[in-house]
Amino acid sequence: MRKIRSIVGPTVVVAVSFACSIAHAQSTVTISGYVKDATNGEALIGANVYVKETLRGAATNVYGYYVLNLEPGKHTLVMSYVGYEDFVQTVDLKSSLKLNIEAQPKVIQAREFEVIGEKEKDSTQGTQMGTVDIDVQRLSTLPALLGEVDILKTIQFLPGVKSNGEGNSGFYVRGGGPDQNLILLDNATVYNASHLFGFFSVFNADAVKNIELIKGGMPANYGGRISSVLDITMKEGNNKGFHGQGGIGLISSRLTFEGPIVKDRGSFIVSGRRTYIDILTKPFLKDSPNFSGTGYYFYDLNAKANYKFSDKDRVFLSGYFGRDVFTFAGSNSGDPAFKIPWGNTTVSARWNHVFGPKLFLNTTATFSDYSFAFDAKQDQFAFKLFSGIKDYGMKVDLAHYPNARHHLKYGGQYIYHVYTTSTVEVSSGDTEFDITTPPKLHAHESALYVMDDFDVTDLLRVNVGLRLTRFDHVGPYTLYQLDDRGRSVGQEDLASGKHISSYMALEPRLSARYTLGPNSSVKASFNRGQQYVHLASFSSIALPTDVWIPSSSKVKPQIGTQYSAGYFQDLFEDVVEASVEVYYKDFKNLIEYAEGAQPQGNGNTNYDAQLVFGDGYSYGAEFFLKRRTGKVNGWLGYTWSKTMRQFPDINEGREFASRWDRRNDLSVVLAYDRNKRWSFGATFVYSTGQAVTLPVNRYFIEGRLVSEYTERNGYRMAPYHRLDLSATLMNKGYRTVKDPLTGEEKEVLRSWRSSWTFGLYNAYNRRNPYFIYFGADGVPSEGTFKVVAKQVSLFSILPSITWNFKF
């Protein structure tokens, strides 16, 4: 009964709020339109448009669209956005008005930027909890590993978000696993967001316009994951003129070019990046007998175009393609050789249509593809392993603004999944071994949602939503019958489209904000979700062999339930923001590979035969203090949390710490703009050591070495801490010109601008543990044998230099 009440309650609230939004519709008129940057035509996301007399207004959506419902009469309209001049215009409304606003950037004398923020005033006024927007402009001035600006590493500095380890771009949110983060690039899912085995992310900051992270209170228009959403929007391109930018660093270079297709109606942007590690290291490796054939490189390409057919219709087409390729070959003919390529491809096609000032439609078709391969040869023996996932999706989103108090969103989504689980091919000469590989897996995932963000009173705002999801695993599929030892004794071939298993769920979402004063509020949220795709990781393999698999009759959907509450305060005339959030998360139906499982074990058996299942929970408190603007800005974040897992088939059924359990996590980010040309950055991180499983004793029994291990993740590695520093030198961005008629001097922006960024990673040379291995010293027969634990540290102090340019 409790489960039924938890669903029925929010359902009733959704129905009531929807009815109220219609019942309260009055004879109002509307002001609607788009807010764009006057210099390049880019939409401004989250710009505040409000009426000065009442201070009531709205924020622009991801396409820069806004709607205000007002009484007829005179109103003073104001648009404000950080880094832009305020737009003020008096209007006399007698009927609905369309007003597009071109915002003028401020002439910034001391280069003051908002470092990171939830759009102006959202921290205290919005209903969203744990929602953060990253300022892309500032990323290039923060310290980075080898000078490579990385969106995902910046996210790791936020409270509640944890790193996967030294230099790694993987992130884990509030105790959730990596598969529980929904990563979107222009609405297309990115399944593997890292280059170089996790050390760099796939996102080129030069092509990115907006980054939003939702780690709590997930609204109903998002689904399919149970921990967080990372929603990344690419730039649209300059529709005023042709421009470019790029950079040359120690390990990679990048170049971006943008311009109008038709001035003021359409634009494009193309951005590419490639490493040259393989080119730089080849002269040093060619004479080495062990590494002469070794090479590694990655590249990625972003492209986007848009065109406005009318004031009501606009289309967008965007894509991403990226690949990593790692090769190894010895100098002798009999030496082993292998090649490991992996990468992502995404495509998004979108159509915006304005039915009327109160109804905005966005229709999106998406394609996502992630693939991994391992190809090894030695003499006549060959071994191939590959896996991947493809998605074909369609989504329809409607934004409805019935009156000043209600903002409705509703829509639907459909995804067709095609999974390639660990597929193995083995041959020796002309002989191919009969390893029956799992067939591709097929599934349909669909969802309908409705949500309303509305003001109950002037002090209380509520966001209530409901998402209905369904998942169907279908044929073609080969189902193996297994004996007690897991061996195949028969099989059943299921035809294409044959139903195998289905799941359906109602996912309630609820968040509320109560205003305590003009600059403070308390918030609370509850959300429950189901996740039908799972990431299975072979812990014994140090390669990106993680495999995406669907829910099935054996693999139940993951269920995540999160409760959170917080206090939010703006200080010193909104210059400083402070917040405290607490949360509790419950996880059901988590998966792991059984201890000792290997990828080749998936041959001649069901793809889920090697899996074990369990539950988990996480709770914690997050503290956040941020200075938004000024010559010195940045933030301080601290998280205390506990994350536990329990699997009947692991650790003898006893509860154990998750590999992502970090009890203490501290991050400090500082930026200092000294003058027009020099700026400095510093970051410091500290976290409790990673929980790992290690042998504590080793014995010789009948001449055989036997190890005795701790319980699962029963050992803590040394704490991780690091200080990074950076300095950026800008060239003179403006030149002085004299008017030949008046003799008046004025500053004009230079057509070519550049900067140098100098970085120091791990400034005090901390030897942080990457992993621990055990070596043997001495001779057993002489009684001098002993096993010694040795720590491997990945990066010492690393300097970097990057030259960035714009034209």
Side-chain angles (χ1 to χ4, degrees), residues 440-452:
K440 291 183 177 180
L441 308 174
H442 305 263
H444 304 279
E445 183 175 356
S446 55
L448 296 172
Y449 76 88
V450 59
M451 58 180 283
D452 187 8

Side-chain angles (χ1 to χ4, degrees), residues 94-144:
K94 297 179 181 177
S95 60
S96 293
L97 172 69
K98 182 173 181 180
L99 180 63
N100 294 328
I101 300 172
E102 292 200 343
Q104 295 289 343
K106 290 181 179 177
V107 179
I108 301 173
Q109 298 298 323
R111 292 202 322 113
E112 297 177 359
F113 295 111
E114 179 174 281
V115 181
I116 180 171
E118 300 84 350
K119 286 115 181 177
E120 192 173 328
K121 276 289 186 182
D122 258 14
S123 60
T124 57
Q125 299 303 313
T127 56
Q128 289 295 319
M129 292 190 63
T131 300
V132 183
D133 294 279
I134 307 296
D135 176 21
V136 181
Q137 296 182 76
R138 175 57 74 180
L139 293 183
S140 61
T141 64
L142 292 179

Side-chain angles (χ1 to χ4, degrees), residues 336-450:
F338 58 82
K339 183 177 182 180
I340 309 175
W342 72 95
N344 298 275
T345 302
T346 69
V347 179
S348 300
R350 288 179 287 174
W351 169 48
N352 290 167
H353 179 71
V354 180
F355 285 102
K358 296 186 179 184
L359 188 60
F360 183 92
L361 167 72
N362 182 58
T363 303
T364 308
T366 61
F367 170 76
S368 298
D369 178 28
Y370 169 70
S371 61
F372 164 81
F374 178 87
D375 189 351
K377 294 181 180 180
Q378 185 173 17
D379 294 328
Q380 298 295 310
F381 181 79
F383 174 84
K384 293 183 179 180
L385 171 71
F386 47 95
S387 64
I389 180 172
K390 289 183 179 180
D391 285 352
Y392 304 85
M394 178 69 73
K395 188 178 183 184
V396 176
D397 299 286
L398 287 151
H400 184 199
Y401 310 85
N403 56 51
R405 287 191 174 270
H406 290 264
H407 178 193
L408 288 161
K409 289 184 180 180
Y410 39 87
Q413 184 176 18
Y414 167 77
I415 303 173
Y416 175 55
H417 301 283
V418 181
Y419 305 82
T420 302
T421 59
S422 295
T423 302
V424 180
E425 295 179 2
V426 181
S427 64
S428 181
D430 295 331
T431 304
E432 294 187 0
F433 294 93
D434 184 16
I435 300 179
T436 304
T437 57
K440 291 183 177 180
L441 308 174
H442 305 263
H444 304 279
E445 183 175 356
S446 55
L448 296 172
Y449 76 88
V450 59

Side-chain angles (χ1 to χ4, degrees), residues 295-369:
Y296 171 81
Y297 63 92
F298 73 75
Y299 61 90
D300 45 41
L301 177 70
N302 296 79
K304 187 172 183 177
N306 71 89
Y307 189 80
K308 183 177 72 173
F309 288 96
S310 67
D311 288 340
K312 291 188 174 183
D313 294 281
R314 191 174 182 183
V315 294
F316 302 80
L317 180 64
S318 60
Y320 167 84
F321 181 80
R323 283 293 180 271
D324 289 67
V325 180
F326 179 64
T327 58
F328 174 84
S331 58
N332 301 319
S333 59
D335 291 339
F338 58 82
K339 183 177 182 180
I340 309 175
W342 72 95
N344 298 275
T345 302
T346 69
V347 179
S348 300
R350 288 179 287 174
W351 169 48
N352 290 167
H353 179 71
V354 180
F355 285 102
K358 296 186 179 184
L359 188 60
F360 183 92
L361 167 72
N362 182 58
T363 303
T364 308
T366 61
F367 170 76
S368 298
D369 178 28

